[in-house]
Amino acid sequence: MKTRKVLALAGVTLLAAGILAACSGGSGAKGEQTFAFTYETHPDNLNYLTTGKAATADITSNVIDGLLENDKYGNLIPSMAEDWSVSKDGLTYTYKIRQDAKWYTSEGEEYAPVKAQDFVTGLKYATDKKAEALYLVQDSIKGLDAYAKGEIKDFSQVGIKALDDQTVQYTLNKPESFWNSKTTMGVLAPVNEEFLNSKGDDFAKATDPSSILYNGPYLLKSLVTKSSVEFAKNPNYWDKDNVHIDKVKLSFWDGQDTSKPAENFKDGSLTAARLYPTSASFAELEKSMKDNIVYTQQDSVTYLVGTNIDRQSYKYTSKTSEEQKTSTKKALLNKDFRQAIAFGFDRTAYASQLNGETGASKILRNLFVPPTFVQADGKNFGDMVKEKLVTYGDEWKDVNLADAQDGLYNPEKAKAEFAKAKTALQAEGVTFPIHLDMPVDQTATTKVQRVQSMKQSLEATLGTDNVIIDIQQLQKDEVNNITYFAENAAGEDWDLSDNVG
């Protein structure tokens, strides 16, 4: 059975709590399997070729297939490519497109065969539109960097060629043992050129399932903003016998009532539900349904607190003067100040607002990339990072980068780093306290609690005469527009944000 994001939503994010797993397949016609779950962020587009946002990818990864995909163990297996070969020098990858690969409309009508040229068209479009994930392949494919920078104008000079309708070939700048894993990413996905041109600016509109074509296991049937997303199995999909869920329905949840998902699970309207140990109903649920409660494993998604060192907009701020704005910017540009924030942030207390004290450590991660993700020369990634970190200062020599524990929180280090920063910043004319604006969705109960927890730990450690976290409680759309969906630096209206991932 294939592993699809929408069928693995029980482990939604790094900050996911436990789930209630239902035994039935949900409601539907006799013999029909339906999966029902929730989602919290409506996508701003369906452009799988250009976006790097999970709100889009969680949808499009279930309706668009690339050359290869991962099985449930993470192994790369055939998808649109039924076979492939690699040259002896490791520079040329040749993929054979399966004959039964087709494009379909949202209504399930066959539109055209999937051809090798569709992958060429997809990469050209992604490059022309400056796809967010272009960096994954820009330095890998021969000539792509030069084309992206405008140094060459003819895309035919880039190292991707459709040798015939069923054969696409990539030429790399240097061997990459991990190249095939990149073919699962949206930036290397195919698109039908005729359809793309016919849609123009209406291609991949967030509210219109008919704005894209489908070559994957599901068809997108409906998107209603802040209401629902519905999928149906593609009856003509080449591997339909291995698609075991017939329908998927995602219902919008605003995060306010943390008991609601569990209640919807109990009444049968959800197949699975995230649980919130801090909710009022959790103790009762723990008694009545303890055999159904599990903690999901940490997954590939990592959320973090970001610092904005180039803030240009101040619509949502508590700062009252230009002096405060300048002082904050100078502080965030100071490495010791940022390290003081890093060491002064009690992540366990933060995580417990979502997962309770018992489950808090289960969702902690100290690196953007899992420390055991790759190994080289007998060391895992985390060990290699630690060796590099030590060169930045002695304060990093004893950090523990393993998952499921807080290896960074250290109030004494935070105070020492801040003392160094304050001396340097005062010499630059910076005035204290430093005011840091941090936006949060005011309707999402646990998000507000987490930001309040961060404010408490930082101000307690560094002192409110030095640092003040100004929480900006905003509407969900306002928060998303200035963080997650901001299109450029000018739109990022914050100093600290945990809406980064």
Side-chain angles (χ1 to χ4, degrees):
M1 181 176 176
K2 294 173 183 287
T3 298
R4 294 286 173 183
K5 284 188 179 180
V6 80
L7 304 183
L9 275 172
V12 179
T13 68
L14 179 66
L15 297 180
I19 63 160
L20 282 170
C23 297
S24 67
S27 59
K30 187 175 181 180
E32 190 177 77
Q33 294 291 310
T34 299
F35 182 85
F37 198 67
T38 58
Y39 75 103
E40 296 181 46
T41 304
H42 202 82
D44 61 346
N45 65 72
L46 295 175
N47 201 326
Y48 57 91
L49 293 161
T50 61
T51 189
K53 298 180 177 65
T56 295
D58 285 344
I59 293 174
T60 58
S61 62
N62 295 289
V63 301
I64 301 294
D65 274 3
L67 290 167
L68 306 178
E69 65 181 4
N70 300 104
D71 66 12
K72 63 183 178 180
Y73 302 108
N75 300 313
L76 288 165
I77 59 174
S79 186
M80 290 293 94
E82 60 184 352
D83 194 14
W84 65 92
S85 62
V86 187
S87 62
K88 288 184 179 180
D89 61 8
L91 295 178
T92 304
Y93 283 72
T94 305
Y95 301 88
K96 287 292 184 180
I97 310 301
R98 60 180 65 255
Q99 296 276 356
D100 51 355
K102 310 287 185 182
W103 288 111
Y104 299 92
T105 68
S106 58
E107 298 301 317
E109 298 175 352
E110 184 177 328
Y111 186 90
V114 175
K115 296 182 179 181
Q117 183 60 37
D118 297 342
F119 291 88
V120 180
T121 301
L123 182 58
K124 182 179 186 301
Y125 176 87
T127 308
D128 290 342
K129 296 294 185 180
K130 303 186 186 307
E132 293 175 8
L134 187 62
Y135 68 91
L136 287 172
V137 296
Q138 186 167 334
D139 292 326
S140 300
I141 300 172
K142 187 176 180 179
L144 186 59
D145 181 59
Y147 178 81
K149 292 177 178 177
E151 295 169 2
I152 60 174
K153 305 296 183 182
D154 184 359
F155 192 75
S156 67
Q157 296 180 44
V158 175
I160 178 173
K161 300 288 185 290
L163 303 185
D164 55 47
D165 283 351
Q166 307 306 130
T167 311
V168 63
Q169 188 175 85
Y170 295 82
T171 302
L172 308 185
N173 288 314
K174 60 184 179 180
E176 291 185 3
S177 60
F178 44 84
W179 166 258
N180 270 337
S181 67
K182 294 184 178 183
T183 67
T184 66
M185 307 301 289
V187 69
L188 289 183
V191 68
N192 179 277
E193 186 171 9
E194 180 185 26
F195 180 84
L196 180 67
N197 292 337
S198 71
K199 287 295 180 181
D201 292 339
D202 289 334
F203 175 70
K205 290 180 64 175
T207 56
D208 184 6
S210 69
S211 65
I212 60 173
L213 291 177
Y214 303 78
N215 70 340
Y218 289 95
L219 304 173
L220 188 56
K221 305 303 292 185
S222 173
L223 288 98
V224 181
T225 303
K226 294 185 181 179
S227 177
S228 64
V229 180
E230 297 186 35
F231 303 81
K233 179 178 176 178
N234 182 353
N236 299 308
Y237 180 57
W238 70 271
D239 197 24
K240 59 182 179 294
D241 292 341
N242 284 315
V243 181
H244 303 294
I245 303 296
D246 300 289
K247 292 184 178 180
V248 177
K249 181 174 182 178
L250 306 180
S251 301
F252 180 76
W253 178 59
D254 64 7
Q256 187 165 10
D257 183 356
T258 54
S259 298
K260 187 175 180 180
E263 292 170 0
N264 288 343
F265 171 84
K266 290 176 70 175
D267 67 23
S269 55
L270 291 181
T271 311
R274 277 194 265 181
L275 290 183
Y276 295 85
T278 55
S279 68
S281 62
F282 182 74
E284 180 184 343
L285 284 166
E286 196 172 27
K287 291 179 182 178
S288 63
M289 309 195 77
K290 61 181 180 180
D291 292 337
N292 296 89
I293 299 175
V294 298
Y295 282 101
T296 59
Q297 292 183 336
Q298 289 187 317
D299 60 15
S300 61
V301 179
T302 305
Y303 282 89
L304 61 143
V305 176
T307 56
N308 186 359
I309 62 173
D310 187 29
R311 186 174 180 181
Q312 300 171 33
S313 176
Y314 291 89
K315 181 179 178 181
Y316 304 102
T317 185
S318 295
K319 295 177 178 61
T320 57
S321 67
E322 290 299 318
E323 184 180 39
Q324 287 184 352
K325 294 176 185 178
T326 301
S327 292
T328 297
K329 182 166 287 191
K330 287 183 177 180
L332 288 173
L333 286 169
N334 182 285
K335 185 187 75 169
D336 294 324
F337 181 84
R338 295 196 306 273
Q339 290 183 162
I341 297 295
F343 291 129
F345 174 23
D346 187 345
R347 293 160 184 77
T348 305
Y350 175 95
S352 69
Q353 307 306 312
L354 178 72
N355 249 29
E357 292 183 7
T358 302
S361 64
K362 297 179 186 294
I363 58 176
L364 294 180
R365 176 164 284 159
N366 297 280
L367 291 173
F368 199 35
V369 175
T372 57
F373 181 58
V374 292
Q375 294 76 40
D377 298 327
K379 302 173 185 177
N380 68 32
F381 179 72
D383 293 333
M384 291 184 279
V385 171
K386 188 170 181 177
E387 289 179 359
K388 184 69 173 178
L389 278 174
V390 173
T391 67
Y392 295 152
D394 289 343
E395 61 271 19
W396 293 100
K397 66 182 179 181
D398 58 349
V399 298
N400 182 356
L401 301 178
D403 278 346
Q405 57 84 42
D406 187 350
L408 298 179
Y409 178 53
N410 188 314
E412 294 309 310
K413 281 187 182 179
K415 292 174 183 177
E417 292 302 302
F418 183 82
K420 289 190 290 184
K422 189 169 186 177
T423 298
L425 291 169
Q426 284 179 325
E428 294 181 42
V430 168
T431 58
F432 292 83
I434 301 298
H435 284 265
L436 299 168
D437 292 312
M438 190 167 187
V440 66
D441 175 2
Q442 63 188 15
T443 62
T445 302
T446 65
K447 289 183 179 180
V448 173
Q449 292 169 342
R450 277 174 272 169
V451 171
Q452 289 173 336
S453 173
M454 184 175 182
K455 172 183 172 70
Q456 182 177 12
S457 65
L458 285 175
E459 291 182 355
T461 299
L462 302 178
T464 52
D465 56 330
N466 291 315
V467 173
I468 293 177
I469 309 299
D470 292 314
I471 299 174
Q472 308 296 325
Q473 295 198 35
L474 310 173
Q475 296 291 332
K476 181 183 292 289
D477 287 345
E478 290 177 316
V479 174
N480 280 335
N481 288 340
I482 65 172
T483 58
Y484 194 54
F485 290 144
E487 295 183 354
N488 49 49
E492 302 278 2
D493 193 1
W494 50 273
D495 297 314
L496 297 179
S497 174
D498 60 354
N499 213 27
V500 181

